[in-house]
Structures are given as C-alpha cells and as structure tokens.
Amino acid sequence: MQMAGSSESSGAASAQSDERPPLPPRPSQAPENDPATPMMERSQLPSKPTTAVSSMNIQTLSFPDGSRGTFSTANENPSGSTEQTSAPSSLGPASLGFNPIGNDIDESMSVMSIAPTLRPPGDLESLLVGDISKKSPAWALLRSQSAAVQPFETIRAEENTVFTEFEREFDDIPDESEENWNDEDRLKIWKSKLKHFMILSSAGKPIYSRHGDLGLINSSMGVVQTILSFYEGAKNPLLGFTAANTRFVILTEGPLYFVAISRLGESDSQLRAQLDALYMQILSTLTLPTLTNIFANRPSTDLRKPLQGTETLLSSLADSFTRGSPSALLGALECLRLRKSHRLAINNAFLRTRTEKLLYGLIVAGGRLVSVIRPRRHSLHPSDLQLIFNMLFESGGVKAGGGENWIPLCLPAFNNRGYLYMYVSFLDVDPESERDLSAAGEEIAVILISPDKESFFALQQMRDDVVAELRKKGHVDIIKAAAKQGRPKMNEIAPGTHVSHFLFKSRANVQFCMPAPLPIFNSLISHRRLMSLYHNLHATIHAKHTHVKVLHCVGEDTTSLAWITPIFEFYCVAGPNASRAVLTQGANKIIQWAKREEERLFIIGGGVF
C-alpha cells in the first residue's frame, strides 16, 4: 500500500511537470537584471525581435469615403508558428497602459492633431502632449516681443513684384520731340504703368489719358472703342473684364466712355467710384446740359477744346486714386481736430459776418475741414467737397495764384445743371512772393460760395470781417497750431496697443479720422501697400449679398481687422504676429477713444442759417 501510494504521487508529479503553470502578468516597470525579480516573470518577455507595440494584430480598414480606421484582433496564428510570438490572452492593450482608440479615427492623424478632445493615454501623454501645450515664461516673452513687429517688415521679393516700379509710376513719359526715345520705347514705358485712366467719346474720339500723349495711345483707344461699341450694339453694355492680372472696368455716362485699367487689386465698385469722380470733375467744368448739347448737335465733337486747362485737375484726381486716398475709399471727409468750444466760436463768427448772398461758407486747413456754415435745407455732399479740395490743395493751380481767386464751378451732387461762384482766399499769402510749398499741409483757406455771379465784392467784404474777428479772438492761431500739430499719434490714442494704423468713419456724419502715419508708412510704396490692404478689406466687407460684419485677416506681413456697424466703419492694421485678442483689444481702445473725442474729431451739424 505504501509503494502504491508513492507510485501515484510520482505519477502526479510527472504529469504536473509536463503541464507548465500559467505565467503571471508582465510587470510594467522592472529592470531585467534585478535580482529581486523572479525568473518566472522575466520569462514572459518575447524571445524574438518584433516591431509591434504588443503581440496583437493591428488591422486597417478602408472606408468608402477614402478614410481609414484601425482596430486590434487577437493573435490567431498556430502555436507552432515561429513567425509570430504568441502571448496570453490576458495581455491586452489595457495592461500595457494604452486605451484602445475606436476605428473612426484616421490612422494618419497625429496624436497632437486630436488633442484635447482625444488625448493619448499613458506614457504617450507625457511624451507627445504633456507640457508642450503649456507656454513657458520665455515663450510668452518672445511672443510679446514678436507682436511688436511692424507691418510690411517681412516682405518677400516675389511678393513685391507688383510694386517694384511703383516709385516711377508718376514719372512722365518722354515726349515724341525727344530724339533719344522712339515710339517703341515710349510705348513700353506706358505699358509698365500699373494704373491707367482713359476717357473717350462714343464716336471714338480720345479725350483724356493719364499716361502718355493721345498720339501715342490713339490705336489702343481705338481698340477699346471697338470692343465697347460691339457690346453696345448687342444691347449688353460691357462693364468690365480681366486680362492676365489686369482688371478693366468701364463706366458709360451719356456720350462718354470712362475706362480704368488697374493691376493694384481694387474691386470693380471701387474703380467705378473713381471713374464717377472723374465724370463729376468734367461736369464741374461744363455742367450736364452743356455736355449734352455739345454731343447732341455734333457727336464727333473733340471735347479736348472745351476741357482745355482742366487736364491738371483730372490728373491730380487720378494720381490721388493711384497713390491711395482714404477719403475716396470711404466716401467721407477728414476734419481738423479742434475743441468743441473753439469750433463753435469759429462757426458763430462765420454766422455773425454772413452776407445775404452766401450759400456755403468753409474754412479749410491743409485739406481738412475746420468749419462749415450752410442753409438749413441744404448740405454739401462729400463728392462736391472732394472736387473743391482737389482744385485747391492737390492740383496747385489755384494755390499758385495766391491771394484771392474767383472761380465759377458746378457742384454736380448739389445741382449739375448750373454754376455756382466760389471766392477763395488763402490767409497770410502775399501774391507777389513765392509761396512756401513745405508748409502746404498747414495752409488756411476761406471758401465762400454764392449762386450770384455779381457777389464778388460782398464775399470779399465778408472774408475781411470774419478773418478780423477770428484774429481778434486768437482763433486763427488756434487753427494754425492744430494744423501744425497734425493728426494724433497712435501712442496718444491707444497706448500699449500693437495696432499700427487705422481708419475710423462716422457713418452719420460722413466723416473719418486716422492717426499720424508711422515712419514705416511714409514711403510711396508702403503707403500704397497699406491702402491696397484697406481696399481689400473694404471690398470684402461691402461685397454684394454679404452678411459679414467683422472680418479678421492674417497674412505673412500683416494682420488686419474690419468692423462695420450702423454707427461706424473701422479698419485697422497690425504686424504679422499680432494675435486676434491683441488686435481686438486695440480696436476697442481706439473706438472708445473716437467716441470720447467725437465732438473734436467731427463736425456735427455745423453752423446753420
């Protein structure tokens, strides 16, 4: 019995030695050579090299929409296979510290691309996500310094090709009388200009061209007239077309065709508004009835003779559009910043000395409106005032005369069928001496407009009276000081902000303000780049059928913001590294400043009689 018992026990022992006991789970962190680690635990490690994270099969499934998903399956290879290392079923991804990710996640996604909604667990979190999303103090300091980078400081050469020749945009094309230039070279220079304005009649007669004499481009105008006539004959007037990177916009007004050719990126509506201003300039010289009668009696009339002497007005207006005019873009006027009490005193002086023959009275300093008095039922349209300012401060014709000027002109927005008579006097100007052109931005002009052509002496007396009263109370010196001081600087408007420039328009007053330009915007090219950016913002936010009220744009060299409400329009520009929060904070500071300074920045109502 004892021997039988011993044989049974030895048989059981041999059976147990044939059947190996299950191994415990693999420890997460235990050095291989640690003597405290049992040999049985280390025997769990794979015996062959493998590229798999675990000994599980990773399957990939392609979906009909082109995306792919991954999922895991248990190892089903035979136990005798030597190609795949077997593992116990208890050793799953959860035991290794990984949470399984569903098959709806594209395997091409990086771990960072799905943070923070789906964060990788376990050790991958500390390796790939962890503290990377947290900005160190050094990073915050670098970010604050980089936000101070000014616009257009980082300009790539290939991006600046459009403006490479812009500094020579306003150079005159050599005349045909010069022997060193042939027609081919002159035509090449004409084609290099970035912007052209042409005016021709429906009969094909050339009237005006900003660049080049009409003899040089007569054939080009003929081509334009042929194209326009073709569409007119089809009862489908041509409004515009694009050739390469050049935009052609056509405006038809009665017997006249106005054509704008631009490579500066302006929208059709902006170019059409500029062409309309040129049409208003012609009407201010001829009036609409005169223009209509000329072509009604003789359609092939050469309009250059009736317009002789006004080419400088058309060219100065066209050049202001090419350089970039905030006033033309916004359709608003800029006023001289004055205290409310000072402006009210100037208006009262105007009203006390008013003559019965006066229609409008204005004081202008450096192209910015100081004071205006008007009849209760009439107001001056901004487009009419722009024509007056162009004549007085841009073309140089009236300023060259100095002293007093008596000018008949038509204000088309007020009445395009008749003439008014404008008395202009520049203060502190000696007609016999040469005028200081360096102080052109500080010139003060008194403008009195009357419908009576016999009112010269009455307006002259009114001018003497109002200037005497303004001098007596020191208001002329106040106007001079304000004009000399210029526009407010950005660090005075919103200290600490990274906004470099802005345009703010009061829609109710049809007036706008802007800061003194930074040195970076003083060059001709940088000013044009700034205005091109404003043109793009304006065109986008005012596009037809758009409902955009706030527009934030990020570029390689600038960050910009456009914001329109029923009360105001606001556009601003900052450096390329300015964040949206920084830009919005600066915009709010500027708008609050404009609200506080509204009665200094804008003329609200003016003097009314």
Side-chain angles (χ1 to χ4, degrees):
M1 296 292 293
Q2 188 175 3
M3 291 182 61
S6 61
S7 62
E8 290 177 2
S9 61
S10 62
S14 61
Q16 291 177 0
S17 63
D18 294 339
E19 184 178 350
R20 299 178 63 182
L23 297 176
R26 177 182 176 183
S28 59
Q29 291 182 353
E32 185 178 355
N33 297 325
D34 189 356
T37 305
M39 193 66 183
M40 292 177 62
E41 295 181 3
R42 292 200 299 268
S43 64
Q44 180 69 32
L45 300 176
S47 61
K48 291 185 179 182
T50 178
T51 58
V53 177
S54 68
S55 57
M56 303 180 65
N57 288 335
I58 307 299
Q59 304 291 337
T60 302
L61 179 63
S62 297
F63 297 100
D65 60 355
S67 62
R68 293 184 297 172
T70 61
F71 60 95
S72 59
T73 59
N75 189 356
E76 299 176 356
N77 286 350
S79 59
S81 173
T82 60
E83 298 298 328
Q84 183 75 23
T85 304
S86 62
S89 59
S90 62
L91 190 62
S95 65
L96 295 175
F98 292 90
N99 294 330
I101 299 177
N103 58 2
D104 58 334
I105 303 298
D106 191 344
E107 69 170 350
S108 64
M109 280 180 151
S110 65
V111 174
M112 291 294 290
S113 68
I114 60 176
T117 56
L118 292 174
R119 298 172 63 88
D123 293 337
L124 285 182
E125 182 174 3
S126 61
L127 178 64
L128 296 179
V129 180
D131 296 333
I132 291 182
S133 60
K134 299 179 181 179
K135 302 300 186 292
S136 65
W139 173 263
L141 178 61
L142 178 62
R143 183 69 178 178
S144 64
Q145 292 175 347
S146 64
V149 176
Q150 296 296 329
F152 312 129
E153 283 191 3
T154 56
I155 300 176
R156 297 188 303 178
E158 60 269 20
E159 290 181 343
N160 202 30
T161 52
V162 176
F163 298 99
T164 302
E165 304 295 331
F166 191 73
E167 290 185 346
R168 292 191 286 270
E169 178 73 15
F170 306 101
D171 293 347
D172 293 333
I173 297 177
D175 191 74
E176 59 183 355
S177 60
E178 298 185 22
E179 298 179 356
N180 297 331
W181 295 88
N182 54 37
D183 288 347
E184 184 177 353
D185 294 336
R186 294 168 61 230
L187 192 60
K188 184 177 180 181
I189 296 176
W190 180 78
K191 290 181 178 179
S192 68
K193 303 297 183 181
L194 297 178
K195 195 167 184 179
H196 297 268
F197 290 99
M198 298 180 183
I199 305 175
L200 63 156
S201 67
S202 57
K205 291 283 187 178
I207 297 173
Y208 169 80
S209 174
R210 171 57 191 96
H211 298 291
D213 58 86
L214 298 179
L216 175 67
I217 61 172
N218 196 23
S219 58
S220 300
M221 281 197 169
V223 173
V224 172
Q225 195 272 337
T226 302
I227 296 174
L228 297 180
S229 298
F230 173 79
Y231 281 89
E232 288 287 345
K235 304 299 182 182
N236 185 21
L238 181 62
L239 300 179
F241 61 93
T242 301
N245 61 343
T246 305
R247 184 62 183 170
F248 293 74
V249 174
I250 297 96
L251 174 69
T252 304
E253 292 289 350
L256 301 182
Y257 292 143
F258 296 82
V259 182
I261 307 171
S262 175
R263 285 186 283 162
L264 297 177
E266 294 145 303
S267 68
D268 285 14
S269 61
Q270 292 165 355
L271 291 174
R272 195 162 284 111
Q274 297 171 15
L275 294 176
D276 188 66
L278 295 178
Y279 175 60
M280 294 295 179
Q281 182 65 63
I282 291 178
L283 289 184
S284 71
T285 304
L286 297 179
T287 74
L288 182 60
T290 303
L291 181 64
T292 304
N293 291 334
I294 289 175
F295 286 97
N297 298 327
R298 191 177 178 184
S300 61
T301 300
D302 188 354
L303 200 62
R304 285 178 291 178
K305 291 183 179 179
L307 292 176
Q308 190 172 6
T310 63
E311 295 86 352
T312 56
L313 297 177
L314 292 170
S315 295
S316 62
L317 195 60
D319 288 348
S320 69
F321 298 149
T322 304
R323 283 191 299 268
S325 170
S327 179
L329 174 64
L330 300 176
L333 294 172
E334 186 180 12
C335 298
L336 186 69
R337 187 185 179 202
L338 279 178
R339 289 194 175 189
K340 177 184 177 182
S341 58
H342 293 159
R343 203 185 304 273
L344 183 61
I346 295 171
N347 290 343
N348 291 335
F350 242 152
L351 292 172
R352 281 194 298 268
T353 58
R354 180 181 65 89
T355 179
E356 292 297 328
K357 296 183 178 181
L358 180 73
L359 179 62
Y360 294 114
L362 303 94
I363 296 180
V364 184
R368 285 172 286 171
L369 197 59
V370 177
S371 173
V372 57
I373 61 173
R374 60 180 179 83
R376 187 173 301 275
R377 296 184 179 181
H378 297 284
S379 60
L380 270 172
H381 197 276
S383 62
D384 288 340
L385 287 174
Q386 288 171 4
L387 294 178
I388 294 175
F389 290 176
N390 176 65
M391 179 185 298
L392 300 183
F393 299 99
E394 298 293 337
S395 65
V398 176
K399 289 191 298 184
E404 300 174 317
N405 296 271
W406 182 248
I407 305 169
L409 82 162
C410 172
L411 298 181
F414 173 74
N415 180 13
N416 59 13
R417 307 188 66 83
Y419 287 103
L420 298 175
Y421 299 88
M422 182 170 66
Y423 172 88
V424 181
S425 174
F426 288 92
L427 302 187
D428 299 330
V429 173
D430 184 3
E432 302 299 329
S433 64
E434 294 185 2
R435 304 175 68 246
D436 184 10
L437 296 179
S438 63
E442 306 169 15
E443 292 172 326
I444 303 175
V446 178
I447 304 171
L448 306 175
I449 302 175
S450 172
D452 186 0
K453 64 180 179 181
E454 304 294 338
S455 60
F456 173 82
F457 294 105
L459 298 181
Q460 185 185 47
Q461 183 61 45
M462 177 182 170
R463 179 264 181 197
D464 295 339
D465 294 341
V466 69
V467 171
E469 184 167 350
L470 292 177
R471 289 188 189 278
K472 179 180 179 180
K473 296 185 177 181
H475 295 308
V476 173
D477 294 333
I478 292 174
I479 296 173
K480 288 182 178 180
K484 186 176 182 179
Q485 184 180 7
R487 302 179 179 94
K489 298 179 176 59
M490 277 302 308
N491 57 7
E492 300 172 359
I493 298 172
T497 183
H498 293 293
V499 175
S500 301
H501 196 272
F502 72 87
L503 297 177
F504 180 91
K505 175 185 175 181
S506 172
R507 305 184 80 170
N509 299 308
V510 202
Q511 299 165 31
F512 78 98
C513 66
M514 62 181 178
L518 297 176
I520 194 173
F521 299 128
N522 285 337
S523 69
L524 184 64
I525 292 179
S526 61
H527 175 75
R528 179 61 243 189
R529 288 178 61 88
L530 176 66
M531 290 308 303
S532 294
L533 182 60
Y534 282 141
H535 276 83
N536 291 334
L537 291 174
H538 185 273
T540 303
I541 210 162
H542 286 282
K544 289 184 177 180
H545 311 299
T546 185
H547 301 286
V548 178
K549 300 302 179 185
V550 180
L551 176 65
H552 176 244
C553 298
V554 179
E556 293 187 358
D557 50 9
T558 58
T559 302
S560 54
L561 177 72
W563 183 7
I564 62 171
T565 71
I567 300 174
F568 64 82
E569 293 183 21
F570 179 78
Y571 309 87
C572 69
V573 177
N577 299 322
S579 65
R580 181 168 57 183
V582 168
L583 197 61
T584 305
Q585 183 181 14
N588 284 324
K589 286 184 178 181
I590 296 170
I591 292 171
Q592 291 171 7
W593 169 84
K595 185 177 181 180
R596 290 194 308 268
E597 300 284 323
E598 182 179 18
E599 293 183 336
R600 294 187 178 190
L601 295 171
F602 308 125
I603 297 176
I604 303 176
V608 179
F609 58 88

